[in-house]
Amino acid sequence: MSGWVRVCERSELLPGEYRNVYAGDTPIAVFNVDGELYALEDVCTHDGGELTGGLVDGREIECPRHGARFDITTGAVLCPPAYEPVAKFPVKLEDGVVYTRDDRWD
């Protein structure tokens, strides 16, 4: 499981919730959106602040600092002041455990 980071037990990540982990120096947030798991870099592309802690509404997360919004399922920007998408990462479920990794450098 090279590069994969354990996030939590699947049962610990309910719909509408998220968990934070680090893959090396990369902060990653793993979200449960209606039973599907998605992982994004936990960094707003507008100013580098954490995304988590902001409002999660369905498939969207709003940066708590300046209000930029991103699609949790794709990382796409939905609202300025951000103009660049957030990095999206793979998620896998193995033996009831959720894993993610920063695959940008593979």
Side-chain angles (χ1 to χ4, degrees), residues 11-88:
S11 61
E12 297 174 329
L13 188 54
L14 301 176
E17 295 183 340
Y18 63 87
R19 294 288 184 270
N20 299 85
V21 295
Y22 276 85
D25 292 336
T26 304
I28 299 177
V30 178
F31 298 86
N32 181 333
V33 177
D34 297 326
E36 296 293 323
L37 302 176
Y38 302 93
L40 297 177
E41 187 169 14
D42 190 17
V43 176
C44 179
T45 58
H46 166 243
D47 71 354
E50 290 181 355
L51 284 176
T52 53
L55 176 67
V56 175
D57 184 18
R59 296 171 45 141
E60 298 181 14
I61 185 164
E62 182 176 302
C63 178
R65 294 181 68 179
H66 299 111
R69 289 194 319 266
F70 300 88
D71 184 318
I72 292 169
T73 66
T74 66
V77 176
L78 301 174
C79 174
Y83 293 97
E84 296 293 323
V86 174
K88 183 178 180 222

